[in-house]
Short mmCIF file of all heavy atoms in Angstrom, two decimals:
data_model
loop_
_atom_site.label_atom_id
_atom_site.label_comp_id
_atom_site.label_asym_id
_atom_site.label_seq_id
_atom_site.Cartn_x
_atom_site.Cartn_y
_atom_site.Cartn_z
N TRP O 75 6.79 -1.51 -7.35
CA TRP O 75 5.96 -2.72 -7.51
C TRP O 75 5.71 -3.41 -6.18
O TRP O 75 4.63 -3.94 -5.93
CB TRP O 75 6.59 -3.69 -8.51
CG TRP O 75 6.40 -3.26 -9.93
CD1 TRP O 75 7.38 -2.92 -10.82
CD2 TRP O 75 5.15 -3.11 -10.62
NE1 TRP O 75 6.80 -2.56 -12.02
CE2 TRP O 75 5.44 -2.67 -11.93
CE3 TRP O 75 3.82 -3.29 -10.26
CZ2 TRP O 75 4.46 -2.42 -12.88
CZ3 TRP O 75 2.83 -3.03 -11.20
CH2 TRP O 75 3.15 -2.61 -12.49
N LEU O 76 6.73 -3.39 -5.30
CA LEU O 76 6.54 -3.98 -3.98
C LEU O 76 5.51 -3.21 -3.16
O LEU O 76 4.73 -3.82 -2.40
CB LEU O 76 7.88 -4.05 -3.23
CG LEU O 76 8.85 -5.12 -3.73
CD1 LEU O 76 10.24 -4.90 -3.14
CD2 LEU O 76 8.33 -6.51 -3.40
N PHE O 77 5.47 -1.88 -3.29
CA PHE O 77 4.44 -1.10 -2.60
C PHE O 77 3.05 -1.52 -3.10
O PHE O 77 2.12 -1.68 -2.31
CB PHE O 77 4.63 0.41 -2.80
CG PHE O 77 5.75 1.00 -2.00
CD1 PHE O 77 6.69 1.83 -2.59
CD2 PHE O 77 5.87 0.77 -0.63
CE1 PHE O 77 7.72 2.40 -1.85
CE2 PHE O 77 6.89 1.34 0.13
CZ PHE O 77 7.82 2.15 -0.50
N VAL O 78 2.92 -1.69 -4.41
CA VAL O 78 1.63 -2.13 -4.97
C VAL O 78 1.26 -3.51 -4.42
O VAL O 78 0.12 -3.72 -3.98
CB VAL O 78 1.69 -2.16 -6.52
CG1 VAL O 78 0.44 -2.82 -7.10
CG2 VAL O 78 1.86 -0.76 -7.08
N ALA O 79 2.21 -4.42 -4.43
CA ALA O 79 1.95 -5.77 -3.92
C ALA O 79 1.55 -5.73 -2.45
O ALA O 79 0.61 -6.43 -2.03
CB ALA O 79 3.18 -6.66 -4.10
N GLY O 80 2.22 -4.91 -1.67
CA GLY O 80 1.88 -4.79 -0.25
C GLY O 80 0.48 -4.27 -0.03
O GLY O 80 -0.25 -4.78 0.83
N ILE O 81 0.10 -3.27 -0.82
CA ILE O 81 -1.27 -2.73 -0.68
C ILE O 81 -2.29 -3.81 -0.98
O ILE O 81 -3.24 -4.02 -0.22
CB ILE O 81 -1.47 -1.50 -1.60
CG1 ILE O 81 -0.64 -0.32 -1.10
CG2 ILE O 81 -2.95 -1.13 -1.68
CD1 ILE O 81 -0.56 0.85 -2.08
N VAL O 82 -2.09 -4.52 -2.08
CA VAL O 82 -3.05 -5.55 -2.48
C VAL O 82 -3.09 -6.69 -1.45
O VAL O 82 -4.18 -7.09 -1.00
CB VAL O 82 -2.72 -6.09 -3.89
CG1 VAL O 82 -3.56 -7.31 -4.22
CG2 VAL O 82 -2.90 -4.99 -4.93
N LEU O 83 -1.92 -7.19 -1.08
CA LEU O 83 -1.88 -8.36 -0.19
C LEU O 83 -2.19 -8.02 1.27
O LEU O 83 -2.99 -8.72 1.90
CB LEU O 83 -0.51 -9.04 -0.28
CG LEU O 83 -0.14 -9.62 -1.64
CD1 LEU O 83 1.30 -10.10 -1.63
CD2 LEU O 83 -1.09 -10.74 -2.01
N PHE O 84 -1.56 -6.97 1.80
CA PHE O 84 -1.76 -6.65 3.21
C PHE O 84 -3.13 -6.01 3.43
O PHE O 84 -3.97 -6.56 4.15
CB PHE O 84 -0.64 -5.71 3.69
CG PHE O 84 -0.68 -5.45 5.18
CD1 PHE O 84 -0.10 -6.33 6.06
CD2 PHE O 84 -1.32 -4.33 5.69
CE1 PHE O 84 -0.14 -6.11 7.44
CE2 PHE O 84 -1.37 -4.09 7.05
CZ PHE O 84 -0.78 -4.98 7.93
N ALA O 85 -3.34 -4.86 2.82
CA ALA O 85 -4.61 -4.17 3.04
C ALA O 85 -5.78 -4.99 2.49
O ALA O 85 -6.82 -5.11 3.15
CB ALA O 85 -4.58 -2.78 2.41
N GLY O 86 -5.59 -5.57 1.32
CA GLY O 86 -6.68 -6.35 0.72
C GLY O 86 -7.11 -7.51 1.60
O GLY O 86 -8.31 -7.77 1.76
N SER O 87 -6.15 -8.21 2.18
CA SER O 87 -6.51 -9.34 3.05
C SER O 87 -7.19 -8.84 4.33
O SER O 87 -8.12 -9.50 4.83
CB SER O 87 -5.30 -10.20 3.38
OG SER O 87 -4.34 -9.49 4.13
N LEU O 88 -6.76 -7.70 4.84
CA LEU O 88 -7.43 -7.16 6.04
C LEU O 88 -8.86 -6.74 5.74
O LEU O 88 -9.76 -6.97 6.55
CB LEU O 88 -6.63 -5.99 6.62
CG LEU O 88 -5.29 -6.35 7.26
CD1 LEU O 88 -4.62 -5.11 7.82
CD2 LEU O 88 -5.43 -7.41 8.33
N TYR O 89 -9.08 -6.12 4.58
CA TYR O 89 -10.45 -5.76 4.20
C TYR O 89 -11.31 -7.02 4.12
O TYR O 89 -12.44 -7.04 4.62
CB TYR O 89 -10.48 -5.03 2.85
CG TYR O 89 -9.75 -3.72 2.82
CD1 TYR O 89 -9.03 -3.34 1.70
CD2 TYR O 89 -9.78 -2.83 3.89
CE1 TYR O 89 -8.36 -2.14 1.64
CE2 TYR O 89 -9.11 -1.62 3.85
CZ TYR O 89 -8.40 -1.28 2.71
OH TYR O 89 -7.74 -0.08 2.66
#
Side-chain angles (χ1 to χ4, degrees):
W75 283 117
L76 287 168
F77 285 131
V78 171
I81 291 169
V82 171
L83 296 173
F84 186 84
S87 64
L88 291 181
Y89 298 142

